């Protein structure tokens, strides 16, 4: 966006746990009438070598364009993450927005998740937390809601070449066995683990999912996004496949056409009126 500039270059860090990877950084735009929040979830095939530094330029860009951004870090395979820790971290990190919202008068009526690659899997998974059984990592509170809600529901997800079908990703042996490295077992050995972790098995969701896929992506093939959207649409959910030019990393290049599409999707969803927040199970 011509003329956009970063008004705040130093984000505010919030810790949601004792581990050094359990934190999120809040990026605030200059104006004080905040319209929702964008949760940025970085990729890297869930491996510890890749950190929230991948999301920092994105969060800064969104703030420069007038949007509040929450750049989320989490434990990953190799530094205490995997199953179930990564899922517990992502949900706790999103819910920690309530602390930041109280301190900075943030509006949580619209919370859009933006996830790249493995972060896309985590973002779409987080959108289905209300469907998880009690006791599962990231599941909502007990059946009777507390007086004050603790969860922060997502209202839309923009997936950037997300790993949205874990079984297909394992069959393709993406990134030299990244899915098995992350979840620790095969689907045959731990079917329940995959049922709870795989976005395609949470369909239908009650919120829209925009599966943005780079046409020249060889890191996460477009077939994963296509499979998710086809299944979601067949189940009556709101999902859209959005091809964009470029490769896997053009999606997180803030100067690219591919990222401009993602930014526009986020802005559009933040501008919408607050959605009906009945749980998916109440929607039939």
């Amino acid at each position: 966006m011509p003329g956009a500039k970063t008004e705040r270059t130093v984000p505010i860090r919030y810790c949601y746990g004792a581990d050094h990877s359990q934190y999120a950084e809040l990026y605030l735009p200059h104006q004080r009438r905040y319209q929702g929040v964008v949760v940025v979830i970085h990729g890297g095939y869930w491996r510890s070598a890749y950190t929230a530094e991948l999301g920092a330029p994105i969060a800064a860009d969104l703030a420069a364009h007038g949007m509040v951004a929450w750049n989320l870090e989490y434990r990953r395979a190799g530094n205490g993450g995997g199953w179930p820790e990564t899922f517990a971290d992502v949900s706790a990190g999103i819910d920690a927005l309530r602390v930041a919202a109280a301190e900075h008068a943030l509006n949580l009526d619209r919370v859009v998740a933006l996830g790249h690659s493995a972060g896309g899997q985590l973002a779409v998974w987080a959108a289905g937390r209300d469907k998880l059984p009690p006791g599962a990592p990231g599941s909502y509170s007990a059946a009777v809601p507390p007086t004050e809600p603790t969860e922060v529901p997502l209202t839309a997800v923009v997936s950037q070449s997300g790993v949205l079908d874990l079984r297909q990703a394992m069959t393709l042996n993406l990134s030299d066995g990244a899915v098995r490295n992350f979840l620790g077992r095969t689907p045959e050995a731990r079917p329940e683990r995959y049922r709870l972790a795989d976005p395609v098995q949470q369909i239908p969701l009650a919120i829209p999912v925009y599966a943005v896929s780079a046409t020249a992506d060889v890191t996460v093939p477009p077939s994963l996004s296509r499979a998710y959207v086809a299944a979601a649409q067949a189940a009556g959910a709101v999902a859209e496949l959005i091809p964009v030019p470029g490769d896997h990393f053009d999606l997180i290049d803030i100067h690219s056409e591919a990222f401009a599409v993602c930014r526009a999707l986020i802005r559009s969803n933040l501008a919408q009126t607050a959605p009906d927040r009945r749980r998916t199970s109440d929607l039939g």
Side-chain angles (χ1 to χ4, degrees):
M1 176 178 178
K5 58 181 179 179
T6 303
E7 299 287 354
R8 182 188 295 275
T9 58
V10 180
I12 305 167
R13 179 170 290 202
Y14 288 82
C15 295
Y16 61 85
D19 190 90
H20 70 277
S21 291
Q22 293 175 312
Y23 71 86
E25 292 187 326
L26 180 68
Y27 289 73
L28 296 174
H30 179 65
Q31 90 279 0
R32 288 292 179 260
R33 289 195 303 171
Y34 303 138
Q35 189 176 42
V37 179
V38 186
V39 177
V40 179
I41 307 179
H42 72 86
Y45 270 121
W46 310 283
R47 292 189 169 106
S48 59
Y50 302 94
T51 72
E53 286 300 310
L54 287 170
I58 294 170
D61 175 85
L62 295 173
H65 286 78
M67 293 170 268
V68 178
W70 183 250
N71 187 28
L72 180 60
E73 185 60 289
Y74 51 91
R75 288 174 291 175
R76 304 163 306 286
N79 74 334
W83 178 270
E85 292 83 5
T86 295
F87 298 88
D89 281 6
V90 168
S91 56
I94 293 173
D95 293 344
L97 263 172
R98 290 206 178 272
V99 177
E103 294 180 359
H104 298 280
L106 306 181
N107 179 0
L108 299 183
D109 284 344
R110 301 294 308 181
V111 180
V112 177
L114 173 70
H116 178 243
S117 193
Q121 177 266 327
L122 293 169
V124 177
W125 168 85
R129 288 173 59 198
D130 62 321
K131 297 172 68 69
L132 296 172
S139 62
Y140 276 10
S141 300
V144 178
T147 304
E148 293 294 331
T150 56
E151 300 92 0
V152 175
L154 300 178
T155 56
V157 177
V158 177
S159 167
Q160 301 169 296
S161 281
V163 188
L164 303 185
D165 186 331
L166 293 180
R167 288 175 178 268
Q168 185 182 158
M170 173 165 279
T171 299
L172 294 172
N173 195 36
L174 297 186
S175 189
D176 193 23
V179 174
R180 180 165 184 165
N181 182 58
F182 175 48
L183 293 181
R185 295 289 189 275
T186 64
E188 293 73 26
R190 290 289 188 273
E192 181 70 2
R193 185 174 299 185
Y194 278 76
R195 187 182 72 81
L196 297 175
D198 198 345
V200 79
Q201 296 198 52
Q202 294 174 304
I203 291 169
L205 297 181
I207 68 169
V209 174
Y210 303 92
V212 183
S213 182
T215 54
D217 196 334
V218 294
T219 304
V220 178
S223 60
L224 274 71
S225 292
R226 283 199 301 269
Y228 178 88
V229 169
Q233 291 178 345
V238 178
E240 185 177 353
L241 180 66
I242 303 173
V244 293
D247 62 20
H248 192 65
F249 297 100
D250 284 315
L251 285 161
I252 54 173
D253 177 355
I254 61 173
H255 304 293
S256 71
E257 180 182 344
F259 185 76
V261 171
C262 298
R263 188 194 296 119
L265 283 168
I266 294 166
R267 187 190 298 280
S268 173
N269 277 272
L270 288 179
Q272 294 179 21
T273 57
D276 184 346
R277 285 197 169 171
R278 290 174 293 169
R279 297 191 179 205
T280 309
S281 57
D282 296 329
L283 298 177

